Amino acid sequence: MQSVILKGHKDGYVINLKSNARFIDILRELTELFEQLQQDEKMNSEPLSFNITTGSRLLNADEKKKIEKIVSRFPLFSIHKITSEVMLVQDALEMIESKSIHLDANTIRNGQVEYIQGDVLYVGDLHQGGMLRATGNVFLLGKCEGIVHAGYLSNSEAIIVGDVHAAQQVRIADAVAIVAQEKIAKSKETVVFVNDLHVLDYTKHTEIKTIRPKLFARMGGY
Amino acid sequence: MGKAIVVTSGKGGVGKTTTTANLGTALALSGSKVCLLDLDIGLRNLDVILGLDNRIIYDIVDVAKGRAKLQQALIKDKRFEDKLFLLPAAQNADKSVLNPEEVKKIVTELKPDFDYVLIDCPAGIEQGFINAVAGADQAIVVSTPEISAVRDADRVIGLLEKESLSEPPQLIINRIRTHMINDGQAMDIDEITRHLSIKLLGIVFDDDQVITTSNKGEPIVLNERNPASQGYRNIARRMQGETVPLMSIASIEKKSIFSRLKSWFDKK
C-alpha cells in the first residue's frame, strides 16, 4: 500500500500522508518521492512548494522536524504548510473559549477581578473598585461603575459596547482612559475603541460595522 | 446547635464591637443563649463595652494554645443570668498568633451550648479577618452611610462570598444621622442596600447615648426607649425569625420634634 500520495491541485501540489500508515514508511516513501521528483527534468527547473496533509493524524513537533529535515536535503523543494483534519481537544476547547461570547452575571465587587477568555456579554453589576477583564470584546448590559478592560493583554482590535459613563476607567489593550475626564454621554449605544492613532475613541453602535468589519465576519462561526 | 455569626465591616470605627455587644445583649434579653467571641486580639474592646474587663483571667489565645479550658475562659455576664457569655481576646499578643483551624475548633466547641455565637471581627481583611470568618456560618456586615465604609463593605462582601458560609451575608447600616439623610447630605439607605445587593438586616440610628452607655460598660439596648436601642432590638428579633418592619426615619424625626417642643414647653 502506498502511504505517500502526491496530487496536483489548482493551487499547487499536495502531498497526502496516509494516516493509517507507519510513520517510518511515510518517511521512507517521502524520501523516495522527492528523489524521483528531483530526477524528473521538468520538476528540476524551478523551486517548488508543497502543502502536506496528514488526514486524521496529528504530527508532533518531533515528527514535523523529521519531515522538514528530509525536505531540506532537496534545495528546490520546500513545505508551505502542514495541515490536518483533527486537532487536540485542549486546543479545540481553547478555541471555543476564545471565540465564543460568554454570558456573565456575577457581581464584581470592590477589589475583585473577573477574567474572561474571549468575548463577554456582561449582565451583572460591576461595582466601584472592581474590574472586568476580557481578552476579547466587552458588551455591557448591567450596571458599570468599576474598571472595564477589553482586549487584555494586547488586542487593540477589541471594543467595549454599552453604557460606560459611570465607569471609573475604560481600558483596551494598553490604552487607558479615565472616564470622569472624558465626558462620555449616558447611553447604552456607546462604543469604545482604539483608533488609528492608537488612542481610545468613542462612537455609536451604528459605527461598529465601519470601524471593526472583521467582528461580524467572525461572529457567524468559524 | 447554635449559629455562629461573624460581625465584620472592613473599615474600622463603623461600630462592629458596639453592634456585637448590643446584638448579643438584645438576643440574651429575649431569651436566647449567647456567647460573644472577641477576635480583635491586641486591641480588645468588647469586654470594656460590656463592663466585663476587670474579670478576665484567661483569654481566647490561652484556650487555643491549651493553657486553659474553654469553660475557664468564658466570662458570664451576671446581669443576664445564664444567657450571655464572653470569650475575651488576648491583649498581649497580635492577630497572627491564632490560625483559622484554632478558631474553628473553639467555635465548633461553643456551638452546641449556645443559640448564637457572635464573633467580633477586627478591622481589615488580613489574618484577623480570615480567623474570624473561619468558624462562622453566617456573616453580618456593618456599614455606615459614608462612601468609604460602603466601599470597604463591598470589598468585604466580595471576600465573604468566596468563603463557604452557609448563608449569604446580611447588612446592618449603623450610625444613621436622620437630619443628614433628610437634608440629602448622607447616602440614602435604599441606595446603599441596592448598591451592595445583599439583604438588609436592619438599621441603627446614631445616638449620643450609645457612647455614654458604652463608657459605663452598659450596652445601649438596656435602655428600652432609646432609638439606637430599638434598632438593635429589632435586628435581634429579626435574627430570631420575627418579621419586624424597618424603623422609619420619619418616626424618629417626628419624635424628636415632639420632644423638642416638649422641652421647649417645659422650659417655659
Side-chain angles (χ1 to χ4, degrees), chain A residues 34 65-79:
Chain A
F34 282 135
K65 220 174 247 172
K66 279 181 183 159
I67 290 179
E68 276 160 13
K69 204 175 156 193
I70 292 174
V71 180
S72 66
R73 281 196 268 151
F74 305 91
L76 281 176
F77 302 149
S78 63
I79 299 170

Side-chain angles (χ1 to χ4, degrees), chain A residues 109-110 112 127-128 145 168, chain B residues 151 154-155 158 195-196:
Chain A
R109 295 183 183 274
N110 188 7
Q112 295 180 324
H127 290 188
Q128 286 119 333
E145 294 177 350
Q168 292 174 312
Chain B
R151 202 62 79 81
D154 192 32
R155 174 93 172 96
H195 177 79
L196 295 176

Side-chain angles (χ1 to χ4, degrees), chain A residues 176-188:
Chain A
V176 181
I178 292 149
V179 172
Q181 298 171 356
E182 302 284 327
K183 295 194 185 94
I184 299 172
K186 181 181 176 178
S187 161
K188 287 195 166 104

Side-chain angles (χ1 to χ4, degrees), chain A residues 31-98:
Chain A
T31 318
E32 286 169 10
L33 176 72
F34 282 135
E35 277 165 356
Q36 274 174 17
L37 287 176
Q38 207 179 26
Q39 280 161 15
D40 194 325
E41 277 182 31
K42 274 184 212 159
M43 291 278 193
N44 212 350
S45 51
E46 51 186 301
L48 260 185
S49 180
F50 298 93
N51 286 332
I52 293 183
T53 60
T54 62
S56 51
R57 181 202 297 266
L58 208 54
L59 294 182
N60 61 31
D62 196 38
E63 290 167 336
K64 276 183 188 166
K65 220 174 247 172
K66 279 181 183 159
I67 290 179
E68 276 160 13
K69 204 175 156 193
I70 292 174
V71 180
S72 66
R73 281 196 268 151
F74 305 91
L76 281 176
F77 302 149
S78 63
I79 299 170
H80 180 231
K81 62 178 177 189
I82 300 177
T83 56
S84 165
E85 280 159 22
V86 292
M87 68 194 294
L88 286 177
V89 172
Q90 195 193 339
D91 293 344
L93 288 177
E94 264 171 31
M95 192 164 130
I96 293 169
E97 274 282 279
S98 63

Side-chain angles (χ1 to χ4, degrees), chain B residues 2-15:
Chain B
K3 231 188 213 175
I5 304 171
V6 61
V7 179
T8 182
S9 71
K11 188 177 178 296
V14 297

Side-chain angles (χ1 to χ4, degrees), chain B residues 165-177:
Chain B
L165 299 178
S166 53
E167 284 173 60
Q170 295 186 310
L171 178 68
I172 291 179
I173 304 177
N174 198 14
R175 311 188 72 162
I176 296 170
R177 299 196 201 172

